[in-house]
PDB file of all heavy atoms in Angstrom:
ATOM      1  N   ALA X   1     -75.142 -64.383 162.760  1.00  0.00           N
ATOM      2  CA  ALA X   1     -75.226 -64.418 161.266  1.00  0.00           C
ATOM      3  C   ALA X   1     -75.363 -62.989 160.736  1.00  0.00           C
ATOM      4  O   ALA X   1     -74.752 -62.610 159.733  1.00  0.00           O
ATOM      5  CB  ALA X   1     -76.371 -65.332 160.795  1.00  0.00           C
ATOM      6  N   ARG X   2     -76.270 -62.165 161.360  1.00  0.00           N
ATOM      7  CA  ARG X   2     -76.448 -60.750 160.888  1.00  0.00           C
ATOM      8  C   ARG X   2     -75.192 -60.054 160.915  1.00  0.00           C
ATOM      9  O   ARG X   2     -74.810 -59.264 160.087  1.00  0.00           O
ATOM     10  CB  ARG X   2     -77.569 -60.122 161.650  1.00  0.00           C
ATOM     11  CG  ARG X   2     -77.839 -58.713 161.116  1.00  0.00           C
ATOM     12  CD  ARG X   2     -79.026 -58.016 161.774  1.00  0.00           C
ATOM     13  NE  ARG X   2     -78.783 -57.633 163.129  1.00  0.00           N
ATOM     14  CZ  ARG X   2     -78.179 -56.525 163.568  1.00  0.00           C
ATOM     15  NH1 ARG X   2     -77.622 -55.793 162.627  1.00  0.00           N
ATOM     16  NH2 ARG X   2     -78.108 -56.351 164.822  1.00  0.00           N
ATOM     17  N   VAL X   3     -74.493 -60.122 162.079  1.00  0.00           N
ATOM     18  CA  VAL X   3     -73.202 -59.447 162.316  1.00  0.00           C
ATOM     19  C   VAL X   3     -72.227 -59.814 161.198  1.00  0.00           C
ATOM     20  O   VAL X   3     -71.571 -58.970 160.623  1.00  0.00           O
ATOM     21  CB  VAL X   3     -72.611 -59.696 163.670  1.00  0.00           C
ATOM     22  CG1 VAL X   3     -71.205 -59.257 163.797  1.00  0.00           C
ATOM     23  CG2 VAL X   3     -73.474 -59.088 164.786  1.00  0.00           C
ATOM     24  N   LEU X   4     -72.135 -61.118 160.914  1.00  0.00           N
ATOM     25  CA  LEU X   4     -71.168 -61.608 159.898  1.00  0.00           C
ATOM     26  C   LEU X   4     -71.532 -61.115 158.484  1.00  0.00           C
ATOM     27  O   LEU X   4     -70.697 -60.754 157.652  1.00  0.00           O
ATOM     28  CB  LEU X   4     -70.983 -63.097 159.932  1.00  0.00           C
ATOM     29  CG  LEU X   4     -70.224 -63.626 161.222  1.00  0.00           C
ATOM     30  CD1 LEU X   4     -70.337 -65.097 161.233  1.00  0.00           C
ATOM     31  CD2 LEU X   4     -68.806 -63.090 161.337  1.00  0.00           C
ATOM     32  N   LEU X   5     -72.877 -61.138 158.194  1.00  0.00           N
ATOM     33  CA  LEU X   5     -73.281 -60.727 156.949  1.00  0.00           C
ATOM     34  C   LEU X   5     -73.010 -59.247 156.745  1.00  0.00           C
ATOM     35  O   LEU X   5     -72.637 -58.810 155.588  1.00  0.00           O
ATOM     36  CB  LEU X   5     -74.773 -60.963 156.855  1.00  0.00           C
ATOM     37  CG  LEU X   5     -75.299 -62.369 156.517  1.00  0.00           C
ATOM     38  CD1 LEU X   5     -76.821 -62.499 156.727  1.00  0.00           C
ATOM     39  CD2 LEU X   5     -74.949 -62.749 155.039  1.00  0.00           C
ATOM     40  N   GLN X   6     -73.037 -58.461 157.735  1.00  0.00           N
ATOM     41  CA  GLN X   6     -72.907 -56.976 157.634  1.00  0.00           C
ATOM     42  C   GLN X   6     -71.562 -56.438 157.926  1.00  0.00           C
ATOM     43  O   GLN X   6     -71.294 -55.309 157.754  1.00  0.00           O
ATOM     44  CB  GLN X   6     -73.953 -56.344 158.508  1.00  0.00           C
ATOM     45  CG  GLN X   6     -75.422 -56.642 158.098  1.00  0.00           C
ATOM     46  CD  GLN X   6     -76.415 -55.991 159.033  1.00  0.00           C
ATOM     47  OE1 GLN X   6     -76.118 -55.612 160.107  1.00  0.00           O
ATOM     48  NE2 GLN X   6     -77.668 -55.902 158.633  1.00  0.00           N
ATOM     49  N   THR X   7     -70.619 -57.361 158.293  1.00  0.00           N
ATOM     50  CA  THR X   7     -69.218 -56.914 158.548  1.00  0.00           C
ATOM     51  C   THR X   7     -68.146 -57.691 157.798  1.00  0.00           C
ATOM     52  O   THR X   7     -66.973 -57.308 157.911  1.00  0.00           O
ATOM     53  CB  THR X   7     -68.913 -57.054 160.082  1.00  0.00           C
ATOM     54  OG1 THR X   7     -69.016 -58.356 160.448  1.00  0.00           O
ATOM     55  CG2 THR X   7     -69.866 -56.167 160.880  1.00  0.00           C
ATOM     56  N   THR X   8     -68.553 -58.723 157.030  1.00  0.00           N
ATOM     57  CA  THR X   8     -67.563 -59.540 156.309  1.00  0.00           C
ATOM     58  C   THR X   8     -68.095 -59.666 154.904  1.00  0.00           C
ATOM     59  O   THR X   8     -69.184 -59.447 154.559  1.00  0.00           O
ATOM     60  CB  THR X   8     -67.333 -60.902 156.973  1.00  0.00           C
ATOM     61  OG1 THR X   8     -68.413 -61.739 156.636  1.00  0.00           O
ATOM     62  CG2 THR X   8     -67.130 -60.740 158.466  1.00  0.00           C
ATOM     63  N   THR X   9     -67.146 -60.158 154.060  1.00  0.00           N
ATOM     64  CA  THR X   9     -67.496 -60.571 152.653  1.00  0.00           C
ATOM     65  C   THR X   9     -67.581 -62.083 152.495  1.00  0.00           C
ATOM     66  O   THR X   9     -67.460 -62.586 151.370  1.00  0.00           O
ATOM     67  CB  THR X   9     -66.441 -59.931 151.752  1.00  0.00           C
ATOM     68  OG1 THR X   9     -65.148 -60.478 152.021  1.00  0.00           O
ATOM     69  CG2 THR X   9     -66.423 -58.472 151.738  1.00  0.00           C
ATOM     70  N   LEU X  10     -67.601 -62.856 153.567  1.00  0.00           N
ATOM     71  CA  LEU X  10     -67.734 -64.198 153.444  1.00  0.00           C
ATOM     72  C   LEU X  10     -68.946 -64.700 152.743  1.00  0.00           C
ATOM     73  O   LEU X  10     -69.995 -63.970 152.776  1.00  0.00           O
ATOM     74  CB  LEU X  10     -67.782 -64.800 154.906  1.00  0.00           C
ATOM     75  CG  LEU X  10     -66.567 -64.785 155.767  1.00  0.00           C
ATOM     76  CD1 LEU X  10     -66.869 -65.314 157.174  1.00  0.00           C
ATOM     77  CD2 LEU X  10     -65.404 -65.536 155.130  1.00  0.00           C
ATOM     78  N   GLN X  11     -68.896 -65.822 152.095  1.00  0.00           N
ATOM     79  CA  GLN X  11     -70.077 -66.396 151.415  1.00  0.00           C
ATOM     80  C   GLN X  11     -71.103 -66.851 152.422  1.00  0.00           C
ATOM     81  O   GLN X  11     -70.758 -67.242 153.558  1.00  0.00           O
ATOM     82  CB  GLN X  11     -69.605 -67.576 150.545  1.00  0.00           C
ATOM     83  CG  GLN X  11     -68.601 -67.199 149.427  1.00  0.00           C
ATOM     84  CD  GLN X  11     -69.291 -66.295 148.382  1.00  0.00           C
ATOM     85  OE1 GLN X  11     -70.397 -66.454 147.966  1.00  0.00           O
ATOM     86  NE2 GLN X  11     -68.585 -65.188 148.087  1.00  0.00           N
ATOM     87  N   ALA X  12     -72.348 -66.929 151.988  1.00  0.00           N
ATOM     88  CA  ALA X  12     -73.408 -67.264 152.912  1.00  0.00           C
ATOM     89  C   ALA X  12     -73.189 -68.642 153.560  1.00  0.00           C
ATOM     90  O   ALA X  12     -73.479 -68.796 154.784  1.00  0.00           O
ATOM     91  CB  ALA X  12     -74.709 -67.288 152.156  1.00  0.00           C
ATOM     92  N   ALA X  13     -72.648 -69.618 152.799  1.00  0.00           N
ATOM     93  CA  ALA X  13     -72.437 -70.915 153.399  1.00  0.00           C
ATOM     94  C   ALA X  13     -71.400 -70.882 154.521  1.00  0.00           C
ATOM     95  O   ALA X  13     -71.558 -71.508 155.499  1.00  0.00           O
ATOM     96  CB  ALA X  13     -71.941 -71.905 152.277  1.00  0.00           C
ATOM     97  N   GLU X  14     -70.386 -70.065 154.350  1.00  0.00           N
ATOM     98  CA  GLU X  14     -69.319 -69.935 155.365  1.00  0.00           C
ATOM     99  C   GLU X  14     -70.000 -69.321 156.600  1.00  0.00           C
ATOM    100  O   GLU X  14     -69.673 -69.687 157.752  1.00  0.00           O
ATOM    101  CB  GLU X  14     -68.203 -69.129 154.901  1.00  0.00           C
ATOM    102  CG  GLU X  14     -67.403 -69.739 153.695  1.00  0.00           C
ATOM    103  CD  GLU X  14     -66.344 -68.810 153.204  1.00  0.00           C
ATOM    104  OE1 GLU X  14     -66.660 -67.798 152.463  1.00  0.00           O
ATOM    105  OE2 GLU X  14     -65.167 -69.056 153.520  1.00  0.00           O
ATOM    106  N   ILE X  15     -70.810 -68.303 156.431  1.00  0.00           N
ATOM    107  CA  ILE X  15     -71.408 -67.604 157.542  1.00  0.00           C
ATOM    108  C   ILE X  15     -72.386 -68.573 158.270  1.00  0.00           C
ATOM    109  O   ILE X  15     -72.468 -68.510 159.546  1.00  0.00           O
ATOM    110  CB  ILE X  15     -72.135 -66.370 157.068  1.00  0.00           C
ATOM    111  CG1 ILE X  15     -71.140 -65.271 156.639  1.00  0.00           C
ATOM    112  CG2 ILE X  15     -73.106 -65.810 158.101  1.00  0.00           C
ATOM    113  CD1 ILE X  15     -71.738 -64.095 156.033  1.00  0.00           C
ATOM    114  N   ALA X  16     -73.100 -69.322 157.499  1.00  0.00           N
ATOM    115  CA  ALA X  16     -74.043 -70.225 158.139  1.00  0.00           C
ATOM    116  C   ALA X  16     -73.395 -71.174 159.148  1.00  0.00           C
ATOM    117  O   ALA X  16     -73.853 -71.346 160.319  1.00  0.00           O
ATOM    118  CB  ALA X  16     -74.740 -71.095 157.074  1.00  0.00           C
ATOM    119  N   PHE X  17     -72.285 -71.741 158.831  1.00  0.00           N
ATOM    120  CA  PHE X  17     -71.636 -72.727 159.707  1.00  0.00           C
ATOM    121  C   PHE X  17     -70.880 -72.033 160.797  1.00  0.00           C
ATOM    122  O   PHE X  17     -70.758 -72.515 161.951  1.00  0.00           O
ATOM    123  CB  PHE X  17     -70.723 -73.705 158.954  1.00  0.00           C
ATOM    124  CG  PHE X  17     -71.501 -74.596 157.975  1.00  0.00           C
ATOM    125  CD1 PHE X  17     -71.470 -74.455 156.650  1.00  0.00           C
ATOM    126  CD2 PHE X  17     -72.294 -75.634 158.577  1.00  0.00           C
ATOM    127  CE1 PHE X  17     -72.250 -75.326 155.826  1.00  0.00           C
ATOM    128  CE2 PHE X  17     -73.057 -76.452 157.740  1.00  0.00           C
ATOM    129  CZ  PHE X  17     -73.020 -76.284 156.395  1.00  0.00           C
ATOM    130  N   ALA X  18     -70.270 -70.801 160.484  1.00  0.00           N
ATOM    131  CA  ALA X  18     -69.610 -69.996 161.482  1.00  0.00           C
ATOM    132  C   ALA X  18     -70.632 -69.574 162.579  1.00  0.00           C
ATOM    133  O   ALA X  18     -70.188 -69.423 163.729  1.00  0.00           O
ATOM    134  CB  ALA X  18     -68.903 -68.826 160.800  1.00  0.00           C
ATOM    135  N   SER X  19     -71.873 -69.371 162.256  1.00  0.00           N
ATOM    136  CA  SER X  19     -72.829 -68.872 163.152  1.00  0.00           C
ATOM    137  C   SER X  19     -73.423 -70.011 164.000  1.00  0.00           C
ATOM    138  O   SER X  19     -74.165 -69.740 165.012  1.00  0.00           O
ATOM    139  CB  SER X  19     -74.026 -68.215 162.357  1.00  0.00           C
ATOM    140  OG  SER X  19     -73.489 -67.185 161.579  1.00  0.00           O
ATOM    141  N   GLY X  20     -73.155 -71.263 163.650  1.00  0.00           N
ATOM    142  CA  GLY X  20     -73.629 -72.380 164.350  1.00  0.00           C
ATOM    143  C   GLY X  20     -74.846 -73.122 163.831  1.00  0.00           C
ATOM    144  O   GLY X  20     -75.359 -74.015 164.408  1.00  0.00           O
ATOM    145  N   PHE X  21     -75.246 -72.731 162.596  1.00  0.00           N
ATOM    146  CA  PHE X  21     -76.299 -73.471 161.896  1.00  0.00           C
ATOM    147  C   PHE X  21     -75.729 -74.783 161.358  1.00  0.00           C
ATOM    148  O   PHE X  21     -74.580 -74.892 160.953  1.00  0.00           O
ATOM    149  CB  PHE X  21     -76.924 -72.610 160.703  1.00  0.00           C
ATOM    150  CG  PHE X  21     -77.710 -71.446 161.192  1.00  0.00           C
ATOM    151  CD1 PHE X  21     -77.074 -70.137 161.320  1.00  0.00           C
ATOM    152  CD2 PHE X  21     -78.941 -71.580 161.713  1.00  0.00           C
ATOM    153  CE1 PHE X  21     -77.793 -69.065 161.778  1.00  0.00           C
ATOM    154  CE2 PHE X  21     -79.683 -70.492 162.131  1.00  0.00           C
ATOM    155  CZ  PHE X  21     -79.089 -69.196 162.172  1.00  0.00           C
ATOM    156  N   HIS X  22     -76.657 -75.725 161.243  1.00  0.00           N
ATOM    157  CA  HIS X  22     -76.114 -77.066 160.859  1.00  0.00           C
ATOM    158  C   HIS X  22     -76.296 -77.281 159.287  1.00  0.00           C
ATOM    159  O   HIS X  22     -75.822 -78.264 158.765  1.00  0.00           O
ATOM    160  CB  HIS X  22     -77.010 -78.153 161.568  1.00  0.00           C
ATOM    161  CG  HIS X  22     -76.782 -78.180 163.001  1.00  0.00           C
ATOM    162  ND1 HIS X  22     -75.531 -78.338 163.582  1.00  0.00           N
ATOM    163  CD2 HIS X  22     -77.622 -77.960 164.080  1.00  0.00           C
ATOM    164  CE1 HIS X  22     -75.643 -78.291 164.883  1.00  0.00           C
ATOM    165  NE2 HIS X  22     -76.840 -78.039 165.210  1.00  0.00           N
ATOM    166  N   SER X  23     -77.010 -76.341 158.620  1.00  0.00           N
ATOM    167  CA  SER X  23     -77.123 -76.367 157.229  1.00  0.00           C
ATOM    168  C   SER X  23     -77.415 -75.033 156.629  1.00  0.00           C
ATOM    169  O   SER X  23     -77.880 -74.163 157.400  1.00  0.00           O
ATOM    170  CB  SER X  23     -78.234 -77.369 156.829  1.00  0.00           C
ATOM    171  OG  SER X  23     -79.519 -76.745 157.144  1.00  0.00           O
ATOM    172  N   VAL X  24     -77.109 -74.859 155.378  1.00  0.00           N
ATOM    173  CA  VAL X  24     -77.391 -73.501 154.678  1.00  0.00           C
ATOM    174  C   VAL X  24     -78.910 -73.305 154.688  1.00  0.00           C
ATOM    175  O   VAL X  24     -79.339 -72.215 154.812  1.00  0.00           O
ATOM    176  CB  VAL X  24     -76.742 -73.567 153.251  1.00  0.00           C
ATOM    177  CG1 VAL X  24     -77.095 -72.196 152.597  1.00  0.00           C
ATOM    178  CG2 VAL X  24     -75.170 -73.639 153.403  1.00  0.00           C
ATOM    179  N   ARG X  25     -79.626 -74.326 154.468  1.00  0.00           N
ATOM    180  CA  ARG X  25     -81.068 -74.200 154.399  1.00  0.00           C
ATOM    181  C   ARG X  25     -81.689 -73.721 155.755  1.00  0.00           C
ATOM    182  O   ARG X  25     -82.479 -72.829 155.719  1.00  0.00           O
ATOM    183  CB  ARG X  25     -81.748 -75.571 154.026  1.00  0.00           C
ATOM    184  CG  ARG X  25     -83.249 -75.505 153.921  1.00  0.00           C
ATOM    185  CD  ARG X  25     -83.833 -76.761 153.435  1.00  0.00           C
ATOM    186  NE  ARG X  25     -85.346 -76.750 153.390  1.00  0.00           N
ATOM    187  CZ  ARG X  25     -86.037 -77.705 153.051  1.00  0.00           C
ATOM    188  NH1 ARG X  25     -85.537 -78.901 152.606  1.00  0.00           N
ATOM    189  NH2 ARG X  25     -87.402 -77.537 153.003  1.00  0.00           N
ATOM    190  N   GLN X  26     -81.168 -74.287 156.802  1.00  0.00           N
ATOM    191  CA  GLN X  26     -81.618 -73.849 158.136  1.00  0.00           C
ATOM    192  C   GLN X  26     -81.265 -72.363 158.316  1.00  0.00           C
ATOM    193  O   GLN X  26     -82.036 -71.635 158.916  1.00  0.00           O
ATOM    194  CB  GLN X  26     -80.948 -74.708 159.224  1.00  0.00           C
ATOM    195  CG  GLN X  26     -81.447 -74.418 160.621  1.00  0.00           C
ATOM    196  CD  GLN X  26     -80.554 -75.231 161.625  1.00  0.00           C
ATOM    197  OE1 GLN X  26     -79.361 -74.999 161.648  1.00  0.00           O
ATOM    198  NE2 GLN X  26     -81.288 -76.044 162.417  1.00  0.00           N
ATOM    199  N   PHE X  27     -80.032 -71.955 157.891  1.00  0.00           N
ATOM    200  CA  PHE X  27     -79.606 -70.596 158.016  1.00  0.00           C
ATOM    201  C   PHE X  27     -80.532 -69.658 157.164  1.00  0.00           C
ATOM    202  O   PHE X  27     -81.019 -68.627 157.736  1.00  0.00           O
ATOM    203  CB  PHE X  27     -78.184 -70.564 157.453  1.00  0.00           C
ATOM    204  CG  PHE X  27     -77.690 -69.202 157.086  1.00  0.00           C
ATOM    205  CD1 PHE X  27     -77.421 -68.207 157.978  1.00  0.00           C
ATOM    206  CD2 PHE X  27     -77.457 -68.929 155.716  1.00  0.00           C
ATOM    207  CE1 PHE X  27     -76.952 -66.982 157.620  1.00  0.00           C
ATOM    208  CE2 PHE X  27     -76.952 -67.729 155.271  1.00  0.00           C
ATOM    209  CZ  PHE X  27     -76.579 -66.735 156.274  1.00  0.00           C
ATOM    210  N   ASN X  28     -80.765 -70.050 155.949  1.00  0.00           N
ATOM    211  CA  ASN X  28     -81.642 -69.181 155.106  1.00  0.00           C
ATOM    212  C   ASN X  28     -83.051 -69.013 155.741  1.00  0.00           C
ATOM    213  O   ASN X  28     -83.619 -67.992 155.693  1.00  0.00           O
ATOM    214  CB  ASN X  28     -81.736 -69.796 153.750  1.00  0.00           C
ATOM    215  CG  ASN X  28     -80.495 -69.580 152.895  1.00  0.00           C
ATOM    216  OD1 ASN X  28     -79.660 -68.691 153.113  1.00  0.00           O
ATOM    217  ND2 ASN X  28     -80.175 -70.531 151.996  1.00  0.00           N
ATOM    218  N   ASP X  29     -83.629 -70.194 156.135  1.00  0.00           N
ATOM    219  CA  ASP X  29     -84.961 -70.160 156.695  1.00  0.00           C
ATOM    220  C   ASP X  29     -85.045 -69.344 157.988  1.00  0.00           C
ATOM    221  O   ASP X  29     -86.019 -68.505 158.114  1.00  0.00           O
ATOM    222  CB  ASP X  29     -85.472 -71.551 157.017  1.00  0.00           C
ATOM    223  CG  ASP X  29     -85.703 -72.415 155.732  1.00  0.00           C
ATOM    224  OD1 ASP X  29     -85.751 -71.841 154.611  1.00  0.00           O
ATOM    225  OD2 ASP X  29     -85.807 -73.642 155.857  1.00  0.00           O
TER     226      ASP X  29
END
């Protein structure tokens, strides 16, 4: 998730699921 946040302009929700998280809340936490 950190790599995608710092190398792409994708929205947080897209990054959450691309990283393998099951929800945006789980990703944020």
Side-chain angles (χ1 to χ4, degrees):
R2 181 173 74 79
V3 168
L4 291 175
L5 282 166
Q6 296 177 343
T7 61
T8 74
T9 58
L10 292 174
Q11 297 296 314
E14 296 175 284
I15 290 174
F17 293 109
S19 304
F21 291 99
H22 298 298
S23 70
V24 175
R25 179 177 180 179
Q26 184 187 58
F27 160 71
N28 288 331
D29 290 346

